[in-house]
Amino acid sequence: MTKRFALTPGEPAGIGPDLCLLLAREAQPHALVAVASKDLLRSRAEALGLSIQLVEVSPGHWPSLPVAAGCLYVWDTPLGRAAHAGQLDMANAAYVLETLSRAGRGCLDRSFDGMITAPVHKGIINEAGIPFSGHTEFLAELTGTEQVVMMLATRGLRVALVTTHLPLKEVAAAITVERLQRVIRILQRDLVGKFGIARPRILVCGLNPHAGEGGHLGREEIDIIEPTLQTLRHEGIDLVGPLPADTLFTPKHLEHCDAVLAMYHDQGLPVLKYKGFGAAVNVTLGLPIVRTSVDHGTALDLAGTGRIDTGSLQVALETAYQMAGDRTLAGA
């Protein structure tokens, strides 16, 4: 059954518009709607030497079939000012957020079965006077979601995070029983409900070196993590750990798990990005909608050059399709 997905190109001066256009060279199994400036896509296609037919759609006139190779559905969203590859402009900060709002609201009203996002530039949005900490937090507020979980995935490995963009000195205090319970329950629920895994096995990292070395290198494992895991095991969640992070990411452990839960950003993501950078996907769990994203930034220096790889965006698409119920595709 054909579904419909929103595709947001993110920062207009970055490689997001390029990714959307390069992707349009190939046919997709579902209808993709770029929520973007039609003028931006047209000018960037000319710069890249691509012949892509832009087919305008809008609420009440949504496509019901996948578009052919060489075409792209576009929900025209006006820029604040004409964008130029590689040149950030605060005048377009509101445009970026409007594309996200349109796509997110479209998912909520079921115009779209999910949304896939290209990278935004947080700095220029904040410089424009708009408080913005990232896609995840923005979409959580838009959808009225109290708790979300960031998970990155590549083929053969999924890594979810208990804490995300925190200074390292604040991480230990943020590892609480309440936070751990919320994160693990969300991870379990979405692995079952959105990835179709009947009984997921989750490996849990310790916070400290050697998972605390029996309390000699920290007591968070003894006082917080292990008691919380034990409580959740009684709920039927298959949890292994806490394990030392330096040995958890080895074939012996990963072979029989469906996801790894890391305590902080740079504990789990360097391993995942080493394994799959350029072919990984960022997934926001806990939302009432499906949202995936690429695993890289705006790459301003490469915008308009054509020297980019669409691998991460393709994995983000495949993952969104799977999460929305297309079990014919391999998951991340």
Side-chain angles (χ1 to χ4, degrees):
M1 177 182 174
T2 297
K3 297 180 182 293
R4 188 185 308 119
F5 294 84
L7 176 60
T8 61
E11 168 54 48
I15 61 171
D18 308 42
L19 289 169
C20 296
L21 292 162
L22 291 168
L23 185 81
R25 297 177 301 176
E26 307 291 335
Q28 292 289 328
H30 298 287
L32 291 178
V33 176
V35 185
S37 162
K38 191 175 179 181
D39 288 340
L40 168 65
L41 293 174
R42 184 184 295 113
S43 65
R44 194 64 62 86
E46 291 174 359
L48 294 170
L50 296 175
S51 179
I52 303 294
Q53 181 184 356
L54 303 177
V55 181
E56 193 165 343
V57 296
S58 60
H61 301 88
W62 295 126
S64 57
L65 296 173
V67 75
C71 298
L72 182 63
Y73 292 124
V74 181
W75 181 5
D76 189 26
T77 306
L79 285 164
R81 187 154 52 206
H84 302 283
Q87 299 178 30
L88 295 171
D89 189 340
M90 288 187 295
N92 287 321
Y95 156 82
V96 172
L97 299 188
E98 177 62 14
T99 64
L100 296 178
S101 295
R102 286 186 174 192
R105 289 194 298 264
C107 290
L108 288 172
D109 70 20
R110 304 200 176 184
S111 296
F112 303 119
D113 294 283
M115 61 185 288
I116 301 95
T117 60
V120 298
H121 194 287
K122 299 175 190 175
I124 199 66
I125 296 173
N126 283 285
E127 286 176 27
I130 305 172
F132 180 82
S133 54
H135 278 111
T136 301
E137 295 82 359
F138 181 86
L139 292 172
E141 183 176 353
L142 181 72
T143 59
T145 305
E146 183 177 344
Q147 178 74 44
V148 294
V149 174
M150 179 178 174
M151 183 176 80
L152 268 74
T154 190
R155 292 179 177 91
L157 180 63
R158 300 181 181 94
V159 177
L161 303 177
V162 177
T163 63
T164 52
H165 301 121
L166 279 182
L168 192 57
K169 67 180 180 179
E170 298 177 15
V171 168
I175 306 298
T176 63
V177 170
E178 293 77 17
R179 182 190 286 260
L180 271 175
Q181 288 182 345
R182 289 197 305 268
V183 168
I184 292 172
R185 286 172 178 146
I186 289 170
L187 177 58
Q188 157 80 8
R189 184 178 70 236
D190 278 6
L191 287 173
V192 173
K194 292 180 177 176
F195 286 88
I197 302 170
R199 182 170 167 76
R201 167 165 284 197
I202 301 167
L203 303 189
V204 181
C205 295
L207 172 65
N208 297 295
H210 302 178
E213 195 77 72
H216 296 288
L217 296 176
R219 291 193 56 86
E220 285 83 3
E221 288 78 10
I222 294 171
D223 295 339
I224 298 171
I225 300 175
E226 175 54 37
T228 303
L229 300 188
Q230 193 58 32
T231 296
L232 295 173
R233 290 185 186 110
H234 290 313
E235 296 180 9
I237 302 178
D238 189 355
L239 299 165
V240 179
L243 298 173
D246 63 342
T247 55
L248 181 155
F249 290 99
T250 55
K252 178 182 75 171
H253 291 296
L254 296 178
E255 185 179 0
H256 301 293
C257 89
D258 297 293
V260 172
L261 182 64
M263 292 294 124
Y264 56 95
H265 188 281
D266 282 12
Q267 182 182 59
L269 297 194
V271 179
L272 184 132
K273 292 193 175 187
Y274 176 77
K275 176 178 173 60
F277 191 75
V281 56
N282 186 334
V283 182
T284 305
L285 304 177
L287 293 174
I289 64 175
V290 168
R291 180 260 169 168
T292 66
S293 182
V294 295
D295 71 339
H296 54 73
T298 54
L300 296 169
D301 58 322
L302 296 178
T305 68
R307 300 194 307 271
I308 58 174
D309 188 340
T310 61
S312 181
L313 181 58
Q314 187 60 53
V315 176
L317 286 168
E318 292 175 5
T319 304
Y321 298 161
Q322 182 197 20
M323 292 174 68
D326 188 343
R327 304 295 182 214
T328 65
L329 290 166

Coordinates of all heavy atoms in Angstrom, one line a residue, residues 195-259:
F195 N 9.2 -0.8 14.9 CA 10.1 -1.6 14.2 C 9.7 -3.1 14.1 O 10.4 -3.9 13.5 CB 11.5 -1.5 14.9 CG 12.2 -0.2 14.7 CD1 12.0 0.8 15.5 CD2 13.0 0.0 13.6 CE1 12.6 2.1 15.3 CE2 13.7 1.2 13.4 CZ 13.4 2.2 14.2
G196 N 8.6 -3.5 14.7 CA 8.1 -4.8 14.5 C 8.9 -5.9 15.2 O 8.8 -7.1 14.8
I197 N 9.6 -5.6 16.3 CA 10.5 -6.6 17.0 C 9.6 -7.1 18.1 O 9.3 -6.3 19.1 CB 11.8 -6.0 17.5 CG1 12.6 -5.4 16.3 CG2 12.6 -7.0 18.2 CD1 13.8 -4.6 16.7
A198 N 9.3 -8.3 18.1 CA 8.3 -8.8 19.1 C 8.8 -8.7 20.5 O 8.1 -8.3 21.5 CB 7.9 -10.3 18.8
R199 N 10.1 -9.1 20.8 CA 10.7 -9.1 22.1 C 12.1 -8.6 22.0 O 13.1 -9.4 22.0 CB 10.6 -10.5 22.7 CG 11.2 -10.5 24.2 CD 10.9 -11.8 24.9 NE 11.7 -11.9 26.1 CZ 11.4 -11.3 27.3 NH1 10.4 -10.5 27.3 NH2 12.2 -11.5 28.3
P200 N 12.3 -7.3 21.9 CA 13.6 -6.7 21.8 C 14.5 -7.0 23.0 O 14.1 -6.9 24.1 CB 13.4 -5.2 21.6 CG 12.0 -5.0 22.2 CD 11.2 -6.2 22.0
R201 N 15.8 -7.2 22.7 CA 16.8 -7.3 23.7 C 17.6 -6.1 23.7 O 18.2 -5.7 22.6 CB 17.7 -8.6 23.5 CG 19.0 -8.6 24.4 CD 19.6 -9.9 24.4 NE 18.9 -10.8 25.3 CZ 19.4 -11.9 25.8 NH1 20.6 -12.3 25.5 NH2 18.7 -12.7 26.6
I202 N 17.8 -5.4 24.8 CA 18.5 -4.1 24.9 C 19.7 -4.3 25.8 O 19.6 -4.8 27.0 CB 17.5 -3.1 25.5 CG1 16.3 -2.9 24.6 CG2 18.3 -1.7 25.7 CD1 15.2 -2.1 25.2
L203 N 20.9 -3.9 25.3 CA 22.1 -3.9 26.1 C 22.3 -2.5 26.7 O 22.1 -1.5 26.0 CB 23.3 -4.3 25.2 CG 23.3 -5.6 24.5 CD1 24.7 -5.8 23.9 CD2 22.9 -6.7 25.4
V204 N 22.6 -2.5 28.0 CA 22.7 -1.2 28.7 C 24.1 -0.9 29.1 O 24.7 -1.8 29.8 CB 21.7 -1.2 29.9 CG1 21.8 0.2 30.6 CG2 20.3 -1.5 29.5
C205 N 24.6 0.2 28.7 CA 26.0 0.6 29.1 C 26.0 1.1 30.6 O 25.0 1.7 31.0 CB 26.5 1.8 28.3 SG 26.7 1.4 26.5
G206 N 27.1 0.8 31.3 CA 27.3 1.5 32.5 C 27.7 2.9 32.3 O 28.1 3.3 31.2
L207 N 27.6 3.8 33.3 CA 28.1 5.1 33.2 C 29.6 5.3 33.3 O 30.2 6.0 32.6 CB 27.4 6.0 34.3 CG 27.8 7.5 34.4 CD1 27.5 8.2 33.1 CD2 27.2 8.1 35.6
N208 N 30.1 4.6 34.3 CA 31.5 4.7 34.7 C 32.4 3.7 33.9 O 32.0 2.7 33.4 CB 31.7 4.6 36.2 CG 30.9 5.6 36.9 OD1 31.2 6.8 36.9 ND2 29.9 5.2 37.7
P209 N 33.7 4.0 33.9 CA 34.7 3.0 33.4 C 34.5 1.7 34.1 O 34.3 1.6 35.3 CB 36.0 3.6 33.7 CG 35.8 5.1 33.8 CD 34.4 5.2 34.4
H210 N 34.5 0.6 33.3 CA 34.3 -0.8 33.8 C 33.0 -0.9 34.6 O 32.9 -1.7 35.5 CB 35.5 -1.2 34.8 CG 36.8 -1.1 34.1 ND1 38.0 -1.4 34.8 CD2 37.2 -0.8 32.8 CE1 39.0 -1.3 34.0 NE2 38.6 -0.9 32.8
A211 N 32.0 -0.1 34.2 CA 30.7 -0.1 34.8 C 30.8 0.1 36.3 O 30.1 -0.5 37.1 CB 29.9 -1.4 34.5
G212 N 31.8 0.9 36.7 CA 31.9 1.3 38.1 C 32.9 0.4 38.9 O 33.2 0.7 40.0
E213 N 33.3 -0.7 38.4 CA 34.3 -1.6 39.0 C 33.8 -1.9 40.5 O 34.5 -1.7 41.5 CB 35.7 -0.9 39.1 CG 36.8 -1.9 39.4 CD 37.2 -2.8 38.3 OE1 37.8 -2.3 37.3 OE2 36.9 -4.0 38.3
G214 N 32.6 -2.4 40.6 CA 32.0 -2.7 41.9 C 32.0 -1.6 42.9 O 32.0 -1.8 44.1
G215 N 31.8 -0.4 42.4 CA 31.7 0.8 43.2 C 33.0 1.5 43.4 O 33.0 2.7 44.0
H216 N 34.2 1.0 43.0 CA 35.4 1.7 43.2 C 35.6 2.8 42.2 O 36.4 3.7 42.5 CB 36.6 0.6 43.0 CG 36.6 -0.4 44.0 ND1 37.0 -0.2 45.4 CD2 36.3 -1.8 44.0 CE1 36.9 -1.3 46.0 NE2 36.4 -2.3 45.2
L217 N 34.9 2.8 41.1 CA 35.0 3.9 40.1 C 33.7 4.6 39.9 O 33.4 5.2 38.9 CB 35.4 3.3 38.7 CG 36.8 2.7 38.7 CD1 37.1 2.0 37.3 CD2 37.9 3.7 39.0
G218 N 32.9 4.6 40.9 CA 31.6 5.3 40.9 C 30.4 4.3 41.3 O 30.5 3.1 41.1
R219 N 29.4 4.9 41.9 CA 28.3 4.1 42.5 C 27.0 4.2 41.7 O 26.0 3.6 42.1 CB 28.1 4.4 43.9 CG 29.2 4.0 44.9 CD 28.7 4.2 46.3 NE 27.6 3.4 46.6 CZ 27.6 2.1 46.9 NH1 28.7 1.4 47.0 NH2 26.4 1.4 47.1
E220 N 27.0 4.9 40.6 CA 25.8 5.1 39.8 C 25.2 3.7 39.4 O 24.0 3.5 39.3 CB 26.0 6.0 38.6 CG 26.1 7.4 38.9 CD 27.5 7.9 39.4 OE1 28.4 7.0 39.4 OE2 27.7 9.0 39.7
E221 N 26.1 2.8 39.0 CA 25.6 1.5 38.5 C 24.9 0.7 39.7 O 23.8 0.1 39.5 CB 26.7 0.6 38.0 CG 27.3 1.1 36.7 CD 28.2 2.3 36.7 OE1 28.6 2.7 37.9 OE2 28.5 2.8 35.7
I222 N 25.5 0.8 40.9 CA 25.0 0.1 42.0 C 23.7 0.8 42.6 O 22.7 0.1 42.9 CB 26.0 0.0 43.2 CG1 27.2 -0.8 42.7 CG2 25.4 -0.5 44.5 CD1 28.4 -0.8 43.6
D223 N 23.7 2.1 42.7 CA 22.6 2.8 43.3 C 21.5 3.1 42.4 O 20.3 3.2 42.9 CB 23.2 4.1 43.9 CG 24.2 3.9 45.0 OD1 24.2 2.8 45.6 OD2 25.0 4.8 45.3
I224 N 21.7 3.3 41.1 CA 20.6 3.8 40.2 C 20.4 2.8 39.1 O 19.2 2.3 38.9 CB 21.0 5.2 39.7 CG1 21.1 6.2 40.8 CG2 20.0 5.6 38.6 CD1 21.7 7.5 40.4
I225 N 21.4 2.5 38.3 CA 21.2 1.8 37.0 C 20.7 0.3 37.2 O 19.6 -0.1 36.7 CB 22.4 1.8 36.2 CG1 22.8 3.3 35.9 CG2 22.2 1.0 34.9 CD1 24.2 3.4 35.1
E226 N 21.4 -0.5 38.0 CA 21.0 -1.9 38.2 C 19.7 -2.0 38.9 O 18.9 -2.8 38.4 CB 22.1 -2.6 39.0 CG 21.7 -4.1 39.3 CD 21.3 -4.9 38.1 OE1 21.9 -4.7 37.0 OE2 20.4 -5.7 38.2
P227 N 19.4 -1.3 39.9 CA 18.0 -1.4 40.5 C 16.9 -1.0 39.6 O 15.9 -1.7 39.6 CB 18.1 -0.4 41.7 CG 19.5 -0.3 42.1 CD 20.2 -0.4 40.8
T228 N 17.2 0.0 38.7 CA 16.1 0.3 37.7 C 16.0 -0.7 36.7 O 14.8 -1.1 36.3 CB 16.6 1.7 37.0 OG1 16.7 2.7 38.0 CG2 15.5 2.1 36.0
L229 N 17.1 -1.3 36.2 CA 17.0 -2.4 35.2 C 16.2 -3.6 35.8 O 15.4 -4.2 35.1 CB 18.3 -2.9 34.8 CG 19.2 -1.8 34.1 CD1 20.5 -2.5 33.5 CD2 18.5 -1.0 33.0
Q230 N 16.5 -3.9 37.1 CA 15.8 -5.0 37.7 C 14.3 -4.8 37.8 O 13.5 -5.7 37.6 CB 16.4 -5.3 39.1 CG 16.0 -6.6 39.7 CD 16.3 -7.8 38.9 OE1 17.4 -7.8 38.2 NE2 15.5 -8.8 38.9
T231 N 13.9 -3.5 38.2 CA 12.5 -3.2 38.2 C 11.8 -3.4 36.8 O 10.7 -4.0 36.7 CB 12.3 -1.7 38.6 OG1 12.8 -1.6 40.0 CG2 10.8 -1.3 38.6
L232 N 12.5 -3.0 35.8 CA 11.9 -3.1 34.4 C 11.9 -4.5 33.9 O 11.1 -4.9 33.1 CB 12.7 -2.1 33.5 CG 12.5 -0.6 33.8 CD1 13.4 0.2 33.0 CD2 11.1 -0.2 33.6
R233 N 12.9 -5.3 34.4 CA 12.9 -6.7 34.0 C 11.6 -7.4 34.5 O 11.0 -8.3 33.9 CB 14.1 -7.4 34.5 CG 15.4 -7.0 33.9 CD 16.6 -7.9 34.4 NE 17.8 -7.4 33.8 CZ 18.8 -6.7 34.5 NH1 18.6 -6.6 35.8 NH2 19.9 -6.3 33.9
H234 N 11.1 -7.0 35.7 CA 9.9 -7.5 36.2 C 8.7 -7.2 35.4 O 7.6 -7.8 35.5 CB 9.7 -7.1 37.7 CG 10.7 -7.7 38.6 ND1 11.0 -9.0 38.7 CD2 11.4 -7.1 39.6 CE1 11.9 -9.2 39.6 NE2 12.1 -8.1 40.2
E235 N 8.8 -6.1 34.5 CA 7.8 -5.7 33.6 C 7.8 -6.5 32.3 O 7.0 -6.3 31.4 CB 7.8 -4.2 33.3 CG 7.6 -3.3 34.5 CD 7.7 -1.9 34.2 OE1 7.8 -1.5 33.0 OE2 7.7 -1.0 35.1
G236 N 8.9 -7.3 32.2 CA 9.0 -8.2 31.0 C 9.9 -7.6 29.9 O 10.0 -8.1 28.8
I237 N 10.7 -6.6 30.3 CA 11.6 -6.0 29.3 C 12.9 -6.7 29.4 O 13.5 -6.9 30.5 CB 11.8 -4.5 29.6 CG1 10.5 -3.7 29.5 CG2 12.8 -3.9 28.6 CD1 10.6 -2.2 29.8
D238 N 13.5 -7.1 28.3 CA 14.7 -7.9 28.2 C 15.9 -7.0 28.2 O 16.3 -6.4 27.2 CB 14.7 -8.8 26.9 CG 15.8 -9.8 26.9 OD1 16.7 -9.8 27.8 OD2 15.9 -10.6 26.0
L239 N 16.5 -6.8 29.4 CA 17.6 -5.9 29.5 C 18.9 -6.7 30.0 O 18.8 -7.5 30.9 CB 17.3 -4.9 30.6 CG 16.1 -4.0 30.2 CD1 15.6 -3.2 31.5 CD2 16.4 -3.0 29.1
V240 N 20.0 -6.3 29.4 CA 21.3 -6.9 29.8 C 22.2 -5.8 30.2 O 22.4 -4.8 29.5 CB 21.9 -7.7 28.6 CG1 23.3 -8.3 29.0 CG2 21.0 -8.8 28.1
G241 N 22.8 -5.9 31.4 CA 23.7 -4.9 31.9 C 23.4 -4.5 33.3 O 22.6 -5.1 34.0
P242 N 24.0 -3.4 33.7 CA 24.9 -2.5 33.0 C 26.3 -3.2 32.7 O 26.9 -3.9 33.5 CB 25.1 -1.3 33.9 CG 24.9 -1.9 35.3 CD 23.9 -3.0 35.1
L243 N 26.7 -3.0 31.4 CA 28.0 -3.5 30.9 C 29.0 -2.4 30.7 O 28.6 -1.3 30.3 CB 27.7 -4.3 29.6 CG 26.7 -5.5 29.7 CD1 26.5 -6.0 28.2 CD2 27.3 -6.6 30.5
P244 N 30.3 -2.7 30.8 CA 31.3 -1.7 30.5 C 31.2 -1.4 29.0 O 31.2 -2.2 28.2 CB 32.6 -2.5 30.8 CG 32.2 -3.6 31.8 CD 30.8 -4.0 31.4
A245 N 31.2 -0.1 28.8 CA 31.0 0.4 27.4 C 32.2 0.0 26.5 O 32.0 -0.2 25.3 CB 30.8 1.9 27.4
D246 N 33.4 -0.2 27.1 CA 34.5 -0.5 26.2 C 34.5 -1.9 25.7 O 35.3 -2.2 24.8 CB 35.8 -0.2 27.0 CG 36.1 -1.0 28.2 OD1 35.1 -1.6 28.7 OD2 37.2 -1.1 28.7
T247 N 33.7 -2.8 26.3 CA 33.6 -4.2 25.8 C 32.2 -4.5 25.3 O 32.1 -5.5 24.6 CB 34.0 -5.2 26.9 OG1 33.2 -5.0 28.1 CG2 35.5 -5.0 27.3
L248 N 31.3 -3.7 25.6 CA 29.9 -4.0 25.1 C 29.8 -3.9 23.6 O 29.2 -4.8 23.0 CB 28.9 -2.9 25.7 CG 27.4 -3.0 25.3 CD1 26.6 -2.4 26.4 CD2 27.1 -2.4 24.0
F249 N 30.5 -3.0 23.0 CA 30.5 -2.8 21.5 C 31.4 -3.8 20.8 O 32.3 -3.4 20.0 CB 30.8 -1.4 21.1 CG 29.7 -0.4 21.5 CD1 29.9 0.4 22.7 CD2 28.6 -0.3 20.8 CE1 28.9 1.3 23.1 CE2 27.6 0.7 21.1 CZ 27.8 1.4 22.3
T250 N 31.2 -5.1 21.1 CA 32.0 -6.1 20.4 C 31.0 -7.2 19.9 O 29.9 -7.3 20.3 CB 32.9 -6.8 21.4 OG1 32.2 -7.3 22.6 CG2 34.0 -5.8 21.9
P251 N 31.5 -7.9 18.8 CA 30.5 -8.8 18.2 C 29.9 -9.8 19.1 O 28.7 -10.2 19.0 CB 31.4 -9.5 17.2 CG 32.5 -8.5 16.8 CD 32.8 -7.8 18.1
K252 N 30.6 -10.3 20.1 CA 30.0 -11.3 21.1 C 28.8 -10.7 21.7 O 27.8 -11.5 21.9 CB 31.1 -11.6 22.1 CG 30.6 -12.6 23.2 CD 31.6 -12.8 24.3 CE 31.7 -11.6 25.2 NZ 32.6 -11.9 26.4
H253 N 28.7 -9.5 22.1 CA 27.6 -8.9 22.7 C 26.5 -8.4 21.7 O 25.3 -8.7 21.8 CB 28.0 -7.7 23.6 CG 28.7 -8.1 24.8 ND1 28.2 -8.9 25.8 CD2 30.0 -7.8 25.2 CE1 29.1 -9.1 26.8 NE2 30.2 -8.4 26.4
L254 N 27.0 -7.8 20.6 CA 26.1 -7.1 19.7 C 25.3 -8.1 18.8 O 24.2 -7.8 18.3 CB 26.8 -6.2 18.8 CG 27.4 -5.0 19.5 CD1 28.2 -4.1 18.5 CD2 26.4 -4.1 20.2
E255 N 25.9 -9.3 18.7 CA 25.2 -10.3 17.8 C 23.8 -10.7 18.2 O 23.0 -11.0 17.4 CB 26.1 -11.6 17.8 CG 25.6 -12.7 16.9 CD 26.5 -13.9 16.9 OE1 27.5 -13.9 17.6 OE2 26.2 -14.8 16.1
H256 N 23.5 -10.6 19.5 CA 22.2 -11.0 20.0 C 21.4 -9.9 20.7 O 20.7 -10.1 21.6 CB 22.4 -12.2 21.0 CG 23.1 -13.4 20.4 ND1 22.6 -14.2 19.4 CD2 24.3 -13.9 20.7 CE1 23.4 -15.1 19.1 NE2 24.5 -15.0 19.8
C257 N 21.6 -8.7 20.2 CA 20.8 -7.6 20.7 C 20.1 -6.8 19.6 O 20.5 -6.9 18.4 CB 21.7 -6.7 21.5 SG 22.5 -5.3 20.6
D258 N 19.1 -6.1 20.0 CA 18.3 -5.2 19.0 C 18.6 -3.8 19.2 O 18.4 -3.0 18.3 CB 16.8 -5.5 19.2 CG 16.4 -6.9 18.9 OD1 16.6 -7.3 17.8 OD2 16.1 -7.7 19.9
A259 N 19.2 -3.4 20.3 CA 19.5 -2.0 20.5 C 20.5 -1.9 21.7 O 20.5 -2.7 22.6 CB 18.3 -1.1 20.8

